[in-house]
Amino acid sequence: MPVPDYTNCMDTKLIKIKNINDKTEYEEAASLLRDGQVVGMPTETVYGLAGNAYSEDAVKRIFEAKGRPSDNPLIVHISEFSDIYDLVKEVPEKAKLLADKFWPGPLTVILKKSDKVPFAVTGGLDTVAVRCPSHPIARSLIKFSGLPLAAPSANLSGMPSPTTAQHVLSDLNGRIPLIIDGGECEEGVESTVITLATEVPKLLRPGNVTLKRLREVLGEVDVDKAVLKPLAHGEKVSSPGMKYKHYSPKAEIIILKGSYNNFKEYVNKNSNQDTYAMIFKNEGDGLNVPFIEYGDIENYRGLSHGLFGALRRLDELGAEKCFVRCPDESNEDNLAVLNRLLRAAAFKVIEI
Ligand code: TXA
Ligand code: MG
């Protein structure tokens, strides 16, 4: 879908919530949502672009503001587990187990949709993705607006997901009326997406509810092959989002697999003026190019927290190319960061 140029069509207002539980502070956002408008909201993963999930107009506005292809379905956000019954045909035992363990939190569950959910939300699919976020502002906004909120990440389609209100503003200024600024997102990568609409539950998008933790609750969990591999031409996808280019800054991203010493040597040899490096915390010794640290090598949540901000920073700096240190692939907890990095790099990986 071509992205219409809305720049400065409307003023995008940024507000802060002082008292999380004060309903009156949400009134402006809630009344926009009830009117079928869209609002940028913080969640614990990334910022979302929220609209009334029951309103086809609101959903259309979400797709337009992001320039998102209309066959890529949206996640519906709820504030209490019991809200799920309106959205899905039935709630299987496995969904209850997952919700018990991980909700509110960064896990999205896919189930057969109810008739109330418009096909505009699900990209024409007969399933719907549901998530109960833990961020107190997101939960209050859902509660006080009285609506289930369809919300994709609040970036322009193809850009890295926003982890600050400034990121949202930089992508969507003039295209949406309001953003609630809730500071930096804690997790930094989008929620884990698992489908329960298949016989064996299947992980479609890794996130910080890790595969190991899902298996502890469910037993067998398959992993969709698109998680770590590019799709072959014409291959059918389980999750439409996987077929689109994602998370990419303008700079060319190249992942280098190997030790820090090999990384340093390779980068110093293969760089020019506009080359940068993305490295782990406390590295950088002997590196002859400017670098950005994206997190601690030992801590997958620290890496995910810094990842998208670091990718966006490259664009601000005018980087043309960036070599990135590869997180440890043998550690399954790094799956989410690895998955986002591989897409940002269009699967360009060099063994060094
Ligand atoms: O953390 C998150 O999940 C954030 C925050 C805002 O909640 N949202 C988010 O939404 O990342 P979005 O739209 O950027 O990503 C949703 C992903 C897409 O890859 C989409 O294809 C997939 O979930 N998805 C949604 N509904 C689906 C369905 N019914 N079947 C398969 N995949 C689905
Ligand atoms: Mg997204």
Side-chain angles (χ1 to χ4, degrees):
M1 195 200 292
V3 180
D5 184 12
Y6 288 114
T7 319
N8 301 324
C9 279
M10 57 175 103
D11 288 327
T12 301
K13 190 170 161 187
L14 217 70
I15 60 165
K16 282 195 172 147
I17 303 287
K18 286 181 212 83
N19 177 356
I20 303 273
N21 299 314
D22 180 356
K23 187 173 178 181
T24 60
E25 293 198 38
Y26 295 85
E27 200 35 50
E28 188 175 4
S31 74
L32 281 167
L33 290 168
R34 282 185 220 109
D35 275 355
Q37 296 296 330
V38 296
V39 169
M41 71 167 175
T43 84
E44 72 280 19
T45 56
V46 300
Y47 275 73
L49 182 59
N52 177 0
Y54 292 143
S55 155
E56 300 215 13
D57 277 351
V59 171
K60 197 164 150 237
R61 286 199 173 98
I62 293 175
F63 281 100
E64 274 178 9
K66 278 183 62 91
R68 177 171 173 125
S70 60
D71 68 343
N72 191 2
L74 308 177
I75 296 171
V76 180
H77 297 67
I78 56 179
S79 64
E80 301 297 335
F81 177 76
S82 55
D83 298 343
I84 198 174
Y85 291 96
D86 281 338
L87 302 172
V88 305
K89 273 230 154 76
E90 62 177 325
V91 181
E93 196 53 33
K94 283 179 178 155
K96 290 181 191 151
L97 290 173
L98 288 176
D100 241 18
K101 186 84 182 171
F102 301 115
W103 279 3
L107 177 71
T108 296
V109 177
I110 293 175
L111 294 164
K112 285 262 181 294
K113 80 171 197 70
S114 72
D115 295 337
K116 275 184 96 171
V117 177
F119 282 108
V121 169
T122 68
L125 299 174
D126 61 1
T127 53
V128 63
V130 187
R131 164 161 127 78
C132 179
S134 64
H135 197 295
I137 292 180
R139 298 192 68 189
S140 294
L141 185 61
I142 299 165
K143 194 167 77 190
F144 294 141
S145 66
L147 300 168
L149 297 180
S153 50
N155 50 289
L156 279 178
S157 199
M159 288 290 285
S161 293
T163 54
T164 66
Q166 285 309 317
H167 294 160
V168 181
L169 194 64
S170 119
D171 277 20
L172 300 180
N173 193 12
R175 303 166 75 93
I176 61 173
L178 185 74
I179 302 168
I180 303 179
D181 184 349
E184 242 182 87
C185 301
E186 194 178 336
E187 304 292 346
V189 288
E190 307 86 345
S191 61
T192 304
V193 178
I194 188 168
T195 180
L196 296 180
T198 46
E199 204 160 306
V200 176
K202 192 191 244 186
L203 177 73
L204 300 183
R205 181 175 73 181
N208 283 349
V209 171
T210 60
L211 189 55
K212 192 169 115 214
R213 291 164 74 202
L214 291 171
R215 285 184 172 146
E216 277 165 11
V217 175
L218 295 177
E220 194 182 2
V221 177
D222 287 342
V223 179
D224 197 274
K225 57 182 183 306
V227 165
L228 288 179
K229 282 212 192 78
L231 286 163
H233 190 67
E235 196 170 350
K236 194 174 173 300
V237 286
S238 316
S239 182
M242 291 188 201
K243 68 184 181 208
Y244 297 108
K245 191 168 153 58
H246 254 120
Y247 316 121
S248 23
K250 293 182 190 82
E252 180 189 12
I253 304 293
I254 300 167
I255 301 169
L256 300 183
K257 221 194 267 184
S259 68
Y260 178 70
N261 266 336
N262 293 355
F263 180 90
K264 175 182 71 186
E265 257 178 48
Y266 186 95
V267 172
N268 286 347
K269 246 189 237 149
N270 292 280
S271 296
N272 59 37
Q273 219 185 326
D274 298 311
T275 305
Y276 284 73
M278 244 168 80
I279 57 175
F280 302 127
K281 211 167 152 193
N282 300 325
E283 294 181 336
D285 266 2
L287 205 54
N288 294 335
V289 301
F291 55 79
I292 301 173
E293 289 180 354
Y294 73 108
D296 183 345
I297 188 169
E298 302 292 343
N299 172 2
Y300 71 95
R301 287 189 70 206
L303 284 180
S304 70
H305 178 81
L307 179 69
F308 287 139
L311 289 174
R312 281 179 176 263
R313 184 86 188 109
L314 290 172
D315 279 350
E316 289 161 20
L317 293 165
E320 269 177 16
K321 182 153 76 173
C322 180
F323 293 111
V324 182
R325 288 271 284 137
C326 188
D328 178 6
E329 291 168 294
S330 64
N331 180 354
E332 231 171 49
D333 291 346
N334 286 330
L335 208 55
V337 169
L338 208 55
N339 166 276
R340 305 313 190 272
L341 264 181
L342 282 167
R343 278 169 174 71
F347 293 92
K348 261 173 277 157
V349 182
I350 301 174
E351 304 246 9
I352 45 169

